[in-house]
Structure formats: structure tokens, C-alpha cells
Amino acid sequence: MNLLQWLEATRINGSDITSGERERRRDYRAAVLKRADTNMNTIRNAHSRGKLGIDLAKRLEKATKGSFAEFKVLDQMPELRRTEPA
């Protein structure tokens, strides 16, 4: 999933989110951000600018590996995919 999808999957505000789910998502986000050595302000700024640095993207991918909301560098930056020779 790309950054926008990850933010949506881990959002903590909304009338459809129960208090238990809110706490679970808050704990998940805190753990991921700690492992990725970043914070939500940096993530939000990257999203609002529409540009995410490759180093942060790789750290976020590593931090979310095996979780319910796995961020993928190639989903965010499809231009990094190798093209097949014709």
C-alpha cells in the first residue's frame, strides 16, 4: 500500500472507529513510527507535499513488514520498478 492508503488504514479519527480500535491503531502507529525513526508530523508533511524521500520510505516499509498495513516502496514509487526489456 502507498502512503495515502497507509494513512487511511491507520487513521484514529472517525465516527466509524470504536474506542478499542482507536487504541489499537494508536499503539500500532506509535510502534511503527518508533521502528521507522520518524513521527506523524514528518509523515503528514510528506503526504501534503506529495513527496516522500526514499530513505523514509524504506524505513517505513521495514517497520510495517508483516503487519496488517504493510507500506510498500514500489506502491509509493512505481518508477523504481525495473522495466522488462522488449
Side-chain angles (χ1 to χ4, degrees):
M1 71 180 38
N2 63 28
L3 186 60
L4 182 62
Q5 294 165 330
W6 186 83
L7 286 170
E8 179 62 27
T10 61
R11 71 183 169 89
I12 58 175
N13 296 321
S15 60
D16 60 329
I17 300 174
T18 63
S19 60
E21 179 66 11
R22 182 175 290 116
E23 285 302 314
R24 186 183 74 79
R25 288 181 184 193
R26 185 178 285 129
D27 292 344
Y28 169 77
R29 272 196 340 196
V32 165
L33 294 172
K34 185 176 181 180
R35 285 192 305 266
D37 192 29
T38 192
N39 57 53
M40 277 310 290
N41 283 338
T42 302
I43 299 294
R44 286 186 190 110
N45 286 339
H47 170 48
S48 68
R49 282 191 222 121
K51 184 165 178 137
L52 181 68
I54 188 71
D55 292 335
L56 177 57
K58 286 180 179 178
R59 291 193 321 259
L60 194 57
E61 181 177 54
K62 185 177 177 183
T64 61
K65 187 171 185 171
S67 68
F68 79 96
E70 280 191 64
F71 174 85
K72 298 288 187 182
V73 173
L74 291 179
D75 290 344
Q76 180 69 29
M77 303 169 181
E79 65 274 9
L80 296 178
R81 283 192 175 101
R82 291 186 180 207
T83 57
E84 296 292 321

